[in-house]
Each structure stands twice: as structure tokens, then as C-alpha cells.
Amino acid sequence: MLFAPNPKQKIAIEHERGPMLVVASAGTGKTSVLVQRVARLVHANLAAPGEILCVTYMRNAARELKERIAAETGATARDVQAYTIHGYCEGVLRRAGQDFRHIEKEDLWIYLRQNIQSLELRHFSKASNPGEFLHDLLELFDRCNDELKTSADYAAYVDNLRKSGASLPRVGKFPEGYEPAREEILGRCEEIARVFAKLESILAAKGMMTYGQMIPATINVLRNSPATLAQERERARFMLVDEFQDCNRGQIELMALLAGDDRNIFAVGDPDQAIYRFRGATSAAFEEFLSLYPEARGVVLDENQRSRTPILRCAYTLIHENPGIAVPTRAGDSFARALPISVRDNRQPAALQPVVAAIGKGREAEANEVAACIEEMRKTSSTSSSKPRFGVLYRQHIHRNDVVAELARRGIPYAVSGLNVLDTPEVRDLAAILRAMVFPYDGTSLFRVSALPVFGIDGATIQGMLSKARGKTPLPELLATIPGGNKVIAALDEARRVAVNSGASASQAAEIAVRRFHLDRHHDAVDAFVRFIKNWEFKATTEIGELHEFLAYFDWLSAAGITVNVDSEDDPEPDREVVRLMTAHSAKGLEFEHVFILRANSNTFPKSYKEALFEFPQELRASGIFQGDSKSAHNEEERRLFYVAMTRARDTLSVCAAPGRGAKNPSPAGYLRNLLCDLKLRPTLAKNPPPGATDLLVERQMRAYTLDTIAARAAELQESAAGVASWLLRPPSTTLASASLSAGAIDRYDTCPLKFKIHFDWRVPGSVSANLLYGNVMHQVLKDYYDAVLAGKPRSAEQSVSLFNQLMDEAPFDDAHQRELYLAKGRAEVAEFVALHKDETPPKILATERTFDIKIGETRVTGRIDRMDDLGNSCVRIVDYKTGIPKDQDKADKSLQLSIYALAAQVAWGHHAEKLVLYNLADQSEIETTRETVEVEAARAKIQEVAEAIAAGDFHANPGRHCDWCDYRELCPATEQRLYSIASAQAAVGTN
């Protein structure tokens, strides 16, 4: 099809020499402009293909540019220079003779976490999460590379802080009310500088380079080698930079160096689509360009060839709240933001459909609404020659789950981009086999392997035995007594023997496991995982590539933020009729006839701001134009991301959200609220359901729908379950309904009823978390301390610390470094506790670690109170020790545990709990609260409510953020992702 440029596109295409900045908003044909400009340069004999350098951000975009330029110019693809920025840099470094191996930031995190003791952290060592600091360290490392700064620059900055008395940066999160001394902050800065330098040293010694390092390394090569610079400038006589909003400061510096005195640099982008601030990109790149090239010409492409006018009006209204490009060019070219013109509306006059604000009543209602709309649209378009594309976009992957379930229920083919195969049951099975091959006593993995249908073990039999054993008997011993159990042990022994005797690598061991345990090697998830293991064998940090080394790496994948996706950016587009589900970040560059945006509420989309552990110093920024890490910068980027999601739509756009909670303004909290309140958008933005739909009848209908949906989903899950899911979704044992409850058990049920069932009914033997081990030790030490007070022989700090050391030596910590951190933390806390209390008048202690066993209705409630003091007149003071993050007054006032303790004191011993105290050992603070009669009765009602739900057999899953740290995540069927692959989706389309 012949490309006919509009007047502004023509200005950009026909620009010949000197710098030019093209601001191209979504759907304005920027890629066509780039291709046509290259073609004109070649056809006008201004440059050969080998003298034109095109740089973009993503591999698929670079590939598309290369193919389209080759087609337009007649050049071979090999002659066309279209690269990602890192692909270009690698070429320069290789041509300059540099030898290095790439290391991904996530792999570097794992390497540092595995060797964290060598970093000798003092200020940034957190016992509960030793690796937390590393994420922020590597973020700082990347930002420094973006700004072309080294560890020496950072160290000089810190040295100047100490000498000059300048204001100090934020270098940590401290408890409310705590003001760190200047010396402590300087000590933290110096620790960052020292670890930063060590990190650079490690990478250099191992010949490794991060992607962030490649740009400053390339700049150094070009600056230090005039011959190399001249050679590269010949290859880049004309430069075209696509997606300019994704450029960071280092990339802009590199482009300026290559452009030289000719300054033939042509930058195209959209500041309103700058959504990679976490990679150093920023919308301020355009103002930086204009400061470097004040003589640049500029043009704004404003004829939108993608979206209908209602979509553009709503998107423009949203993004207009962000600042635009305030600086014009010297020639007077303005970049002021303006409402784009819909070319399609002029060419294809038709009734325009307004953007829909789909205000639902919860996740299930939202999912049902989206799936129903897609189903109806597919039916309507079934006779059309052109099949529409559907895009379902969201901020986080977890937001898609309910929609996926609804699409599957309706038989609508779909493909999920970015689906992590580590959460599929097939890969969890394979990973469990690999773990059990190396660690025969890994209870969780062995349990999952035992549930494989190939062994035919009866779920009821093992359920009863595990419940009876109460986690005290190792699973291999239990399996030996169960029909089929010996087959599991024998199969693992044989797979282990074959792998060892053959000297198998990790991927070869995986292939052995697949064959021996009859897994489907052709399943997309299994194939992706085996390929991931194979690729790991060639990573820069991999030493011998054997299975035990891979498992040591594998255990940190989630903490490092690594996912294993079945799809990649290099994959071909699926069939048009396949509904695409993806994050808004992944959707950039794509378009769909119909778009649905999910969870458009504050704290979901837009995502809430989370302050980094420490900030990047303003003094290290090469330009004052670039924004720092602030809440306002975060909010602006979230608005840009929402704008990107909106502008993927061609014909219709539906924005789904839950209603607000305000009585005066029940509109959804977030971006929709402002759009719905804008009178100018009334003709182009429709609310669905209409006003008045929030009456009591609708509320009841929605509540009934939600309960029915939960029941239906649970039934479907049970029906389709296989392997470990079929076991865990079995009816509970008869003893569970009559079992006693504790405050912890009630809290566990409230969090997730299925988690409660797995924990108390199956009792799978497994390791105990480090924080729980530490808490148990500290409680034993404090009991000993107050028992000694009762006996009139108070302990000294040395005696209590000695007991702590002894108990810690006996505790089965998995991570030696974490044990050392908890040792240091505990010694300090025990010594401080004794010092604070040794001279006080001893409380009149009634009991320490006192157990109770009471009846509330027909329910037994049990527990143990850390300490109970006598206040006289049957009044007591109950103290509960906390070893984790200090609890505040709000936590104390709302604590169900304290309410149950007050109830137990009353029922079991006739005491009135006049005072209830949470004692935080981390900061030795006491948070005191009370309970009125109505609050104690509320606790009684809560106990009865949970007991009734358990008796009714309600053990539905309740997925949420808590799933990320759940002990049963690798077993839980509710967190499994069923892979509906692109291939199977297309096959389904073919059969319709």
C-alpha cells in the first residue's frame, strides 16, 4: 500500500541535515515516518544504508525497522543498521576487541545474595530479609551508569558530604519518631560506596558486564580511541533514534558523541509514553535534547490514524494533567500538547461509541462483565470478513486471573503474555522432582511428587497418615508404609542414579526426570522451563552447570524477580481472534480494535508509590532536567502508563473499576473520578451501570453472584484437579471440624481458608521459617528470665545471652548467614532487655507461657499467653512479646490475638484483662491497649463465625498478596496458572 504522508509527516521525512525532534503521539505513524525518511536519504543519494544508524528500544521493533527499510530501499537486511541501543553498544565493544559476558541484573542479585557475607554489611543487614538491600543497591548501580558515574564518583560525593557538612540524602527507612544521627547516615553512605566499589571489582574480575554498564563502556571506548570514533561516525553519518522517550542520560550522551559536528540526529518519540523510569528513562529527555541542540527543528505529529475521537478525547484529558514540553526550538517550533485529530473518523464516518466506565461490584463481577462483552462482540463480528482484536490490559499480572477463568468458562480462546511458567502445575511438578532427586528429605517436594497420578497413591490414605503424624515423622518413612509409596522412593533413586552415573548437566537431569516420571515433554510450559535451565548453564555466574548448582540458583528466582515466560517479544503475533491479556507495559507498541482496562482504581492502577530504601543523589545527576525518585514523578509516570493503555484502542475502550466508598462521591477513586467529573467529556464517556444502579437490590444481587461464583470456581477446580491439587481439594478429615482453634488458626483461616486446611489437615512436613525459629528461641529466653525473677534469682545479661546462643545453636536454620544475622540481632535485644528491666521493681507475675483451653459455644479455643501480671482485684496485665517489625498502637487496638487473650483470661481463670500490652523487642517499646466488653464479645463472635464456616466445609482459596510468602505456595492449586497457549488458542479458533 502506497504511503501518502500528511503535511507534518512530510516535513519530518524531507528534513535533510542537522538535528530534528519529532514528537509523535500514539497512533500517528512514527514508524512509517522513520522508514520513509531512511528511504529518502538513500534514494536522494544523501547516504548509503551502511551510513544510516537506526536505534530503537525493543528487539522486535528493531527487527521490524530492518525488514521495512530493506523493503523500501532495496538493500539487503544485512546492510540495514537497525539495532536496540544495547545491541549497537555490544557491536562497538566487540569491534574494539573487548571480551565480556552479559549478566542480567536479576542474576547479579542472586550471585550477591548467595555471597552476601563477603559484602560485610553492617548497616544494611536485615535478619528477616538479608537480600532486601541488594535490590536498591543494584538500582543505584544502574542509575549511576545511566548518569555515567562510577563508584569513584559516588565515593567522592560521600567524602564531600563528610567534609562539607552538606545536607544528607535519604539512606534508609527508620521507625517513626527516630532521627538517625549524622554519623549514622554518613556510615550508611560509606557502606554503600564500599559495596558499590566491590561490585564493580567483582564484575571486572569475572569479565562480566551488565546492560547498564555497556553504554558508559561504549562511550569510554569512543572517547579514548579517535580511530574507533571516526569509524563509528562513518557508520552513523545519519542517526535516527526511535522511542526517544525511553532514552536515559547516558544514551543521549552516546548519541551526541556519535553525531559529532554534523549533528545529523533525528529523534522521534512521545514524552507522554515515557513509562520506563525504572530503567532510567524519562519524559525530560526531550528537553535535554533541546538543550544540546538549540538549533534543532521540531514538528508534532498530531493526526492519529488509530483511535476514534472519544478515545482520544478521554486519553488527552487524562494526560493533559502531566506537564508537557515547555521549551520551543530556536526556530520557534512549539511542542505544545494538543488534542489529536482522528483520521479514521474523517475517512470512515460512523456512529462513535463512547468510552465506557464499567463500574462493577468486585473482581468477579468485573471479570464476568469483560468476558460477556467479548463474547457478544465476537458473535456480532462472526459474519465480518475482518476479525477484531481484543486486548485486556492491567497493571499487574495478578489482576488478570478472574478474567482468564471467565474466558475459559465461555470457551473463548485467549493468550496471556508474560505468563510465568513457574506457576504452572506441570513445571511445579518437574521442579519438585528435581528437588527431591537432590534432597530426598524435602517434605514439600516429595509430597508433590507422591501425588503424581503415575504412582496411584490414594489421597485419603496419605491424608489420614499425615494428619495423625502431625508433621513429626519424615515423609520418606510414612511413604514406606503406604501402598505405592515405595514406587516413589524407587523412582527418585533410579533417576538420581542415572543422572549421577551419566554426569548429567542440570538440563540433562531435567530431561531424565521428564522421561522417568512420564511428564509431557511437549507441553509449552515444560519446554520453556527446560530451555530456561539449558540457558542457565551458559550464564556468566554458572560454574559447573550441575543440578545441585541450578537448584541453589532456582531457590532465589522469585526473590530476584525472575520469571520464566512461555512467550517472548520475538514470538509472532497470534491469530486476531485470540483475546490478548497483558500488562500495560507489554502492550506498548500494539493496538486492538477493542480494549478493556482492568482494576482502574487507586493503589491498583495507578499503583501506589513505594519509596526506595535510599535516593539517588541530585549531586550525581549530569543534568538538572531529569526528575528524581519522588512521589510526583511516580504519579506522572503512572498517568502516562494509563494513557498508553487507553491509546491501544482503535474502536472501543472500556475502563473497569470498583465504585468509590464516599457517600458524597461514589465514583471510582483514581483516574476515572476526574474524567467522570469533567463536563466536557459527557458526550464521550458513559457510565455503566447507569446512575441509580447502586441500590440495595443490586448490592444483594452482586453479593449473591460473588458467593455463587466462588462456589462454582471451587467446584470447577475440584473437577479439573489432578496430582497434588486433587489431594488438597479433597474433603477435610472428620477431625478438622472438631479441632481446637487458636488466635493464629483463626487469623490463618481469615487470610485463606484453603491455607488453613492445608496447614491443619494435611500437616505436610517441611522446614520452619527463620523468623519463626527466632521467635520461638526469644520466647524461651524471656520465659526463663521471668521464671528466674519468680524464683528470686534474676538472670544477668550474660546468662540470658548465653541461653540464647545455646538455643540458637540447636535451631535448624536453613541459611547460615541468616542465622548469623539473627544471632547478632538477638544478642543485642536480649542484652538490652535485661539492662532495661534489671533494676525495675519486678512485676507481680502470675504466670509465664501459660496455656489455656476454653470452650466458646461448642468450639475449643486453645493458646498460650506469654506473661500475665497480677494487678489485684482479679485484674491482670497480659503481655505478648513481638520479635518482628514493631507493632504500633493501631495494630494493638485491632489485634484479634489480644482480644482472645482477654476472653481466655475471663473464661479460664475469672480474670479481667485490665491492660493488654504488645512488647516490641526490636525497639523495646510497649504498646498498651484495653478491651471493652463489646470488643471481647466481638472476638467471641469471630471465633463462632470461623468455627461455623469450618464445620460447613468452606475451605475456598483466597488469593492475594499474601500468596507471595505463603509456606504452601508451591503446593496450592489456587496459585497455579493453567497455560492456555497461543498454539492451542489458534487451534480452538480454527475449530469454531
Side-chain angles (χ1 to χ4, degrees):
M1 179 177 173
L2 184 65
F3 176 73
N6 61 44
K8 291 188 176 180
Q9 288 176 329
K10 191 174 182 181
I11 292 171
I13 292 168
E14 295 181 353
H15 176 76
E16 290 191 356
R17 301 181 186 278
M20 185 170 201
L21 181 60
V22 179
V23 174
S25 61
T28 54
K30 69 175 180 62
T31 304
S32 295
V33 167
L34 280 169
V35 171
Q36 294 301 319
R37 172 166 165 73
V38 174
R40 184 177 184 281
L41 290 173
V42 172
H43 294 321
N45 294 318
L46 293 170
E51 297 174 316
I52 304 169
L53 173 63
C54 298
V55 178
T56 188
Y57 204 81
M58 306 295 284
R59 288 195 306 272
N60 56 359
R63 183 177 62 245
E64 181 188 353
L65 269 178
K66 185 181 283 283
E67 292 170 352
R68 289 178 61 175
I69 289 171
E72 283 290 334
T73 61
T76 64
R78 192 172 72 176
D79 291 334
V80 175
Q81 297 187 97
Y83 306 101
T84 65
I85 182 66
H86 295 108
Y88 172 74
C89 288
E90 180 171 6
V92 173
L93 295 172
R94 300 293 186 200
R95 288 191 291 273
Q98 289 203 14
D99 186 25
F100 59 91
R101 301 178 72 189
H102 293 295
I103 181 169
E104 301 279 355
K105 182 164 71 172
E106 294 80 6
D107 289 331
L108 182 55
W109 186 94
I110 292 177
Y111 177 83
L112 294 175
R113 178 61 184 87
Q114 290 174 325
N115 297 276
I116 196 167
Q117 285 175 289
S118 67
L119 299 182
E120 300 176 334
L121 299 177
R122 186 170 65 88
H123 293 283
F124 294 103
S125 55
K126 185 178 179 181
S128 60
N129 187 356
E132 183 180 48
F133 159 75
L134 297 178
H135 287 290
D136 291 286
L137 171 71
L138 294 180
E139 189 69 21
L140 173 69
F141 183 57
D142 277 350
R143 294 290 76 79
C144 283
N145 282 312
D146 294 341
E147 297 285 340
L148 307 179
K149 296 295 189 288
T150 65
S151 63
D153 296 315
Y154 190 87
Y157 157 74
V158 174
D159 186 54
N160 183 63
L161 282 180
R162 183 171 285 282
K163 292 177 180 177
S164 67
S167 59
L168 299 175
R170 185 184 73 252
V171 285
K173 295 178 182 177
F174 302 99
E176 187 176 350
Y178 177 78
E179 289 294 333
R182 182 177 181 86
E183 190 58 36
E184 180 181 353
I185 295 179
L186 288 171
R188 285 171 171 261
C189 291
E190 287 164 350
E191 182 161 285
I192 293 169
R194 177 180 56 77
V195 176
F196 191 172
K198 185 155 191 170
L199 174 56
E200 284 187 336
S201 176
I202 289 171
L203 291 170
K206 292 186 171 292
M208 298 188 296
M209 188 179 291
T210 67
Y211 281 106
Q213 286 180 294
M214 290 178 69
I215 292 167
T218 302
I219 290 173
N220 287 336
V221 164
L222 296 178
R223 284 176 174 167
N224 295 326
S225 173
T228 301
L229 178 58
Q231 179 184 7
E232 293 303 326
R233 280 178 172 172
E234 280 300 308
R235 293 163 53 87
R237 288 187 51 235
F238 289 86
M239 267 197 306
L240 290 85
V241 185
D242 190 15
E243 304 290 3
F244 188 69
Q245 74 278 354
D246 294 337
C247 287
N248 57 44
R249 183 64 183 78
Q251 292 165 4
I252 292 171
E253 183 74 15
L254 173 61
M255 300 305 167
L257 184 60
L258 288 170
D261 293 336
D262 290 341
R263 302 159 82 85
N264 291 326
I265 181 167
F266 183 89
V268 184
D270 181 2
D272 294 333
Q273 295 188 71
I275 58 173
Y276 295 115
R277 193 167 58 93
F278 60 91
R279 295 173 180 168
T282 168
S283 60
F286 296 82
E287 292 173 1
E288 178 72 4
F289 183 94
L290 295 172
S291 70
L292 288 172
Y293 305 108
E295 79 279 17
R297 292 305 311 269
V299 66
V300 176
L301 306 184
D302 55 7
E303 289 189 18
N304 187 287
Q305 301 171 49
R306 175 187 300 158
S307 304
R308 296 291 192 177
T309 296
I311 297 167
L312 296 178
R313 286 178 61 85
C314 289
Y316 171 80
T317 302
L318 173 97
I319 200 62
H320 198 58
E321 293 187 35
N322 274 10
I325 302 175
V327 183
T329 67
R330 184 181 291 171
D333 300 319
S334 171
F335 297 99
R337 188 187 288 122
L339 175 65
I341 302 163
S342 175
V343 174
R344 290 183 61 215
D345 285 354
N346 295 331
R347 293 176 181 170
Q348 305 166 358
L352 300 179
Q353 298 188 45
V355 172
V356 174
I359 304 172
K361 292 294 178 183
R363 301 195 310 263
E364 292 82 10
E366 176 182 270
N368 182 62
E369 175 90 5
V370 169
C373 285
I374 291 174
E375 186 174 45
E376 184 62 31
M377 287 178 172
R378 291 178 79 243
K379 288 177 182 177
T380 304
S381 64
S382 60
T383 57
S384 172
S385 59
S386 177
K387 302 298 181 184
R389 292 163 295 190
F390 296 90
V392 179
L393 311 182
Y394 36 81
R395 183 64 176 84
Q396 294 174 280
H397 288 297
I398 194 173
H399 297 161
R400 70 174 178 238
N401 292 346
D402 294 294
V403 174
V404 166
E406 282 294 338
L407 293 173
R409 183 201 299 275
R410 296 167 187 268
I412 299 172
Y414 64 88
V416 177
S417 297
L419 187 144
N420 185 6
V421 302
L422 298 179
D423 288 333
T424 61
E426 294 79 11
V427 169
R428 285 184 177 179
D429 286 342
L430 178 52
I433 294 167
L434 296 177
R435 280 200 186 99
M437 285 170 61
V438 175
F439 307 109
Y441 280 83
D442 180 339
T444 301
S445 297
L446 187 55
F447 179 75
R448 187 171 188 106
V449 175
S450 302
L452 292 173
V454 68
F455 298 114
I457 295 177
D458 179 53
T461 301
I462 196 166
Q463 181 182 20
M465 297 195 72
L466 284 170
S467 183
K468 184 178 179 181
R470 301 179 64 84
K472 296 178 180 178
T473 305
L475 191 53
E477 295 180 22
L478 285 177
L479 284 175
T481 65
I482 296 175
N486 284 324
K487 288 183 182 179
V488 179
I489 303 300
L492 287 168
D493 287 344
E494 179 63 11
R496 189 182 303 114
R497 184 190 64 78
V498 172
V500 171
N501 291 346
S502 64
S505 67
S507 61
Q508 290 167 339
E511 297 281 11
I512 291 168
V514 168
R515 291 194 300 271
R516 294 276 169 175
F517 290 83
H518 306 286
L519 305 183
D520 181 4
R521 179 61 179 84
H522 300 294
H523 191 282
D524 285 350
V526 173
D527 181 62
F529 185 54
V530 175
R531 281 189 283 110
F532 174 78
I533 300 174
K534 186 69 176 176
N535 291 336
W536 165 83
E537 292 171 0
F538 297 95
K539 284 182 178 287
T541 53
T542 302
E543 295 181 355
I544 58 177
E546 293 182 354
L547 182 56
H548 68 87
E549 184 187 4
F550 173 74
L551 292 175
Y553 168 86
F554 180 78
D555 285 343
W556 294 113
L557 290 188
S558 178
I562 294 177
T563 59
V564 181
N565 298 332
V566 74
D567 61 315
S568 76
E569 64 176 270
D570 297 321
D571 288 340
E573 283 278 312
D575 187 278
R576 291 178 67 93
E577 248 188 292
V578 175
V579 177
R580 301 288 303 279
L581 297 99
M582 64 187 68
T583 64
H585 278 105
S586 300
K588 186 166 176 284
L590 301 178
E591 62 179 48
F592 306 92
E593 273 68 34
H594 309 291
V595 167
F596 299 84
I597 300 175
L598 305 182
R599 308 281 185 91
N601 289 93
S602 294
N603 300 327
T604 51
F605 198 176
K607 190 177 181 182
S608 56
Y609 173 65
K610 181 182 178 183
E611 190 175 69
L613 188 61
F614 41 82
E615 62 185 326
F616 185 81
Q618 183 65 35
E619 292 82 349
L620 293 180
R621 297 184 187 278
S623 170
I625 291 174
F626 289 88
Q627 288 178 304
D629 302 319
S630 66
K631 188 172 183 178
S632 61
H634 166 85
N635 291 340
E636 288 175 15
E637 182 172 44
E638 286 293 303
R639 190 175 287 109
R640 291 193 293 269
L641 184 59
F642 203 88
Y643 169 81
V644 166
M646 296 176 79
T647 54
R648 300 310 94 196
R650 289 175 54 81
D651 296 336
T652 71
L653 171 64
S654 295
V655 184
C656 306
R661 297 180 180 179
K664 293 183 178 179
N665 188 356
S667 60
Y671 296 136
L672 268 182
R673 177 168 291 175
N674 289 342
L675 295 178
L676 288 168
C677 291
D678 192 321
L679 297 178
K680 291 178 291 188
L681 291 181
R682 288 293 168 87
T684 54
L685 179 61
K687 188 187 296 185
N688 180 26
T694 58
D695 60 22
L696 185 59
L697 177 60
V698 172
E699 294 275 2
R700 287 174 177 168
Q701 289 173 339
M702 287 299 181
R703 191 179 301 115
Y705 167 78
T706 299
L707 293 174
D708 289 344
T709 301
I710 289 174
R713 297 250 171 98
E716 287 174 5
L717 196 57
Q718 174 72 62
E719 185 178 339
S720 63
V724 75
S726 67
W727 283 7
L728 297 178
L729 294 174
R730 283 180 45 76
S733 59
T734 55
T735 58
L736 188 59
S738 59
S740 63
L741 292 176
S742 66
I746 293 170
D747 180 67
R748 197 181 294 265
Y749 185 90
D750 249 6
T751 302
C752 177
L754 181 58
K755 176 181 178 180
F756 172 92
K757 176 186 169 188
I758 296 172
H759 181 83
F760 290 103
D761 198 35
W762 285 88
R763 298 182 182 273
V764 180
S767 61
V768 181
S769 64
N771 61 338
L772 184 57
L773 288 171
Y774 173 72
N776 289 339
V777 168
M778 288 296 284
H779 278 77
Q780 291 179 67
V781 171
L782 294 173
K783 172 176 169 51
D784 174 81
Y785 177 83
Y786 279 110
D787 283 349
V789 171
L790 274 171
K793 298 178 180 180
R795 303 291 192 212
S796 66
E798 292 77 11
Q799 288 172 316
S800 289
V801 169
S802 176
L803 176 61
F804 171 78
N805 289 337
Q806 175 190 331
L807 294 172
M808 286 290 287
D809 286 343
E810 297 167 359
F813 282 85
D814 293 330
D815 186 333
H817 178 63
Q818 199 164 26
R819 178 200 293 274
E820 291 301 315
L821 292 177
Y822 271 120
L823 270 170
K825 170 181 165 68
R827 287 166 182 158
E829 289 178 0
V830 169
E832 187 176 5
F833 180 88
V834 175
L836 284 170
H837 296 88
K838 66 177 182 177
D839 295 327
E840 71 177 2
T841 301
K844 190 176 180 181
I845 300 171
L846 282 177
T848 60
E849 298 288 319
R850 186 168 188 178
T851 60
F852 59 85
D853 189 335
I854 61 176
K855 289 288 288 287
I856 301 297
E858 297 302 315
T859 305
R860 283 181 61 220
V861 179
T862 61
R864 182 167 54 206
I865 295 174
D866 291 345
R867 195 180 100 212
M868 190 156 50
D869 301 340
D870 185 3
L871 299 181
N873 296 322
S874 296
C875 293
V876 294
R877 180 177 186 260
I878 292 174
V879 181
D880 188 56
Y881 296 110
K882 296 299 179 186
T883 56
I885 298 172
K887 303 294 188 274
D888 58 17
Q889 189 66 54
D890 184 62
K891 290 285 195 307
D893 293 342
K894 295 178 180 178
S895 170
L896 176 65
Q897 184 179 39
L898 291 183
S899 296
I900 290 177
Y901 285 174
L903 178 62
Q906 174 187 315
V907 174
W909 308 297
H911 297 319
H912 168 61
E914 183 176 308
K915 296 179 180 179
L916 299 159
V917 176
L918 291 181
Y919 190 101
N920 296 307
L921 287 156
D923 60 4
Q924 306 297 332
S925 63
E926 291 189 9
I927 310 298
E928 187 172 280
T929 186
T930 59
R931 289 294 183 271
E932 300 296 331
T933 301
V934 65
E935 294 169 310
V936 175
E937 289 307 306
R940 186 191 299 270
K942 184 66 179 179
I943 292 167
Q944 292 175 327
E945 174 193 325
V946 170
E948 289 169 5
I950 293 170
D954 181 3
F955 297 105
H956 69 273
N958 182 32
R961 289 292 306 276
H962 51 268
C963 294
D964 293 343
W965 53 83
C966 178
D967 293 336
Y968 307 108
R969 180 176 174 80
E970 296 306 305
L971 298 176
C972 179
T975 60
E976 289 179 346
Q977 298 289 329
R978 301 287 168 175
L979 182 61
Y980 196 88
S981 69
I982 291 175
S984 60
Q986 290 175 327
V989 170
T991 60
N992 286 347

